Amino acid sequence: MCKKGLVCFVGLILGLLISSAVTAQETQEEGLEYGFKSALPEMHVFITNQFYNYGEAEFGKYANAGDKKLAGHSVFIPMSGYIDISSQLNPDIKAEAEFELYRSEAIKTCKLRGVWSPEEWFNLSMGRDFVPIGTQDKSYYPPSRFRMFTVAPYLYRNVMRSSGWWDTGVFISGKRQLAKQVSLLYNLSVTNGPGDSHQGTATELINNMKTNTAGYMYEHFHTDARQYLDNNGDKPICIRLALSPLEGLEFGGSHFKAKYDDNEKYGCDYTFYHLLYGSDKLDVACEYGRIGIDTKANGKIHQSSSYLAASYKILQEKYVHFLAPAIRYETIDPWEEDTSNKGDRKSISIGVNISPVEHFLIRAAYQHTTEKGTELKNNGVSVETVFDF
């Protein structure tokens, strides 16, 4: 982990450019067998700066506890960003690397892959990429048009996690035309899958995952089950299918099932459904997701969440590039087996996205949450500025 994340992020960009120049020079002088001038890389950057002012119980690992870095006081989040570097080696093959500067605290590798695309209906990728469960690659990660709010919905913060789910393996995707305006979209991956970074210790997942008195599942699984490598022989398959009956609209679902412990006795399964619609003015994103996790303490535990978000552009190219009011309604059930429904929440966010000029965006929103039972201090506002180039 890099404590001076912004410096490291800038250093990463400069290092890549210098390395590219040095490699080109060495190739010319020493005759190295890799690299060629026509494969110059493209670089795309997404920079965001954020301000949060939420109650002390928001952004927590558990229902009634908040993250002291982000909740309970007003705070400016250090500059974060994404950098995507890709090179089209020939019309069918490209290489891509994408990195995230996470709140100036760490640099995460989002993508590190080679892609072969001989046909529209067949794309083969090998390396590190998004596991196609849900639509985090389409609906939240920049520069997605469906990323209408700064704060991710519960579905990704508490069920999938706001940082998405990347993994290493083989990925196949494509688009097949069924009729004049009807298309079938598919994604399939075979990856390492979840694991347990604490195997053989007192903190291993299977001994610590349970629920708390507020009726909320401890999130050890979301926190500790993601690894670059693996701890067992299970290589799960994830499938996502979607139908696009007309331009801008798609709906479908995805499923993922895996084992996470060393002995392959305990597993998890995800099922997601989605609908996305984007036009010149209206953008709509709707998703439902559910996870089931095997535990020693409570048996099979299920969490589920859903949301509906929409924005509508007005004043396009009049005074500003565009102005887009936005709204999102979402629910979460953190422990379905609990019949008293402790910890259940509903939330509504109202915001506005304003782009004074192209490639510059300001987001502002207020979120109000209603709990089942004791009311928590978790309402608040978020403001974000975005530059992409």
Side-chain angles (χ1 to χ4, degrees):
M1 179 175 289
C2 177
K3 298 301 183 181
K4 298 180 180 179
L6 185 56
V7 175
C8 290
F9 191 58
V10 174
L12 174 65
I13 298 174
L14 294 176
L16 287 166
L17 293 174
I18 294 172
S19 175
S20 177
V22 171
T23 300
Q25 183 177 3
E26 289 178 347
T27 301
Q28 185 176 9
E29 294 177 355
E30 301 178 14
L32 298 180
E33 295 181 357
Y34 59 87
F36 48 96
K37 292 181 180 179
S38 61
L40 291 175
E42 290 186 2
M43 184 180 299
H44 303 271
V45 181
F46 183 97
I47 295 177
T48 170
N49 195 34
Q50 301 168 356
F51 171 79
Y52 290 164
N53 189 4
Y54 282 85
E56 60 190 19
E58 187 64 3
F59 301 115
K61 291 184 177 180
Y62 316 126
N64 302 325
D67 183 339
K68 298 306 179 183
K69 291 183 179 180
L70 300 177
H73 54 278
S74 59
V75 57
F76 286 100
I77 309 300
M79 187 75 76
S80 300
Y82 300 81
I83 176 172
D84 182 273
I85 304 168
S86 63
S87 180
Q88 198 74 39
L89 305 183
N90 65 42
D92 297 336
I93 300 176
K94 77 170 183 178
E96 183 179 23
E98 182 176 295
F99 306 95
E100 176 186 4
L101 172 65
Y102 186 68
R103 294 172 182 163
S104 293
E105 295 178 344
I107 294 177
K108 299 181 179 180
T109 303
C110 307
K111 297 179 182 179
L112 202 60
R113 62 178 187 160
V115 183
W116 177 44
S117 307
E119 301 287 346
E120 185 181 34
W121 61 268
F122 181 81
N123 299 275
L124 174 65
S125 169
M126 296 187 69
R128 184 167 173 82
D129 204 345
F130 285 100
V131 176
I133 185 69
T135 64
Q136 74 271 24
D137 55 328
K138 297 183 177 184
S139 62
Y140 186 72
Y141 271 81
S144 171
R145 67 189 303 165
F146 301 108
R147 191 178 187 269
M148 307 170 202
F149 290 88
T150 300
V151 179
Y154 289 135
L155 187 64
Y156 290 109
R157 279 198 283 153
N158 298 93
V159 177
M160 177 59 72
R161 291 194 67 197
S162 61
S163 55
W165 191 323
W166 305 294
D167 205 350
T168 303
V170 178
F171 303 81
I172 300 174
S173 63
K175 179 180 179 181
R176 189 71 175 180
Q177 204 76 23
L178 302 180
K180 186 176 181 179
Q181 288 189 325
V182 182
S183 300
L184 175 68
L185 298 88
Y186 77 93
N187 295 79
L188 184 147
S189 69
V190 181
T191 60
N192 282 328
D196 186 354
S197 57
H198 303 290
Q199 282 291 329
T201 70
T203 57
E204 61 182 336
L205 289 175
I206 56 177
N207 291 328
N208 285 275
M209 284 196 299
K210 54 187 177 182
T211 57
N212 65 4
T213 55
Y216 199 82
M217 187 187 80
Y218 282 11
E219 292 182 342
H220 287 286
F221 183 80
H222 304 301
T223 304
D224 299 323
R226 300 175 61 194
Q227 301 181 92
Y228 285 98
L229 300 177
D230 204 0
N231 61 289
N232 58 39
D234 181 53
K235 295 295 176 284
I237 297 174
C238 182
I239 298 176
R240 181 172 68 195
L241 295 174
L243 187 69
S244 176
L246 53 90
E247 185 178 357
L249 173 66
E250 73 166 80
F251 57 88
S254 51
H255 184 71
F256 179 86
K257 188 173 184 179
K259 301 291 185 181
Y260 68 85
D261 67 309
D262 188 51
N263 297 318
E264 300 181 24
K265 293 182 179 179
Y266 293 84
C268 68
D269 57 82
Y270 287 86
T271 301
F272 274 56
Y273 301 99
H274 73 272
L275 182 149
L276 302 174
Y277 175 72
S279 67
D280 291 341
K281 292 186 176 182
L282 177 65
D283 293 321
V284 178
C286 179
E287 288 192 81
Y288 167 83
R290 185 174 189 251
I291 181 176
I293 303 176
D294 297 331
T295 70
K296 281 186 177 180
N298 300 96
K300 188 85 168 185
I301 289 177
H302 291 89
Q303 289 181 309
S304 61
S305 181
S306 62
Y307 74 88
L308 172 62
S311 69
Y312 189 81
K313 293 184 179 68
I314 58 176
L315 301 180
Q316 288 180 284
E317 305 304 337
K318 294 180 179 179
Y319 311 109
V320 293
H321 181 49
F322 70 78
L323 177 69
I327 188 169
R328 182 174 71 198
Y329 176 77
E330 54 186 318
T331 66
I332 182 171
D333 186 340
W335 186 19
E336 292 183 356
E337 286 73 18
D338 176 30
T339 56
S340 65
N341 295 320
K342 297 188 298 293
D344 287 14
R345 299 184 185 184
K346 297 179 181 179
S347 175
I348 187 167
S349 298
I350 298 175
V352 63
N353 297 324
I354 180 172
S355 175
V357 295
E358 193 174 5
H359 305 297
F360 173 46
L361 179 65
I362 301 171
R363 290 190 178 96
Y366 172 75
Q367 175 183 293
H368 177 77
T369 305
T370 302
E371 294 81 11
K372 178 74 174 182
T374 305
E375 183 177 352
L376 303 177
K377 295 180 179 179
N378 53 12
N379 302 324
V381 299
S382 62
V383 180
E384 177 184 38
T385 61
V386 175
F387 296 86
D388 65 271
F389 55 92

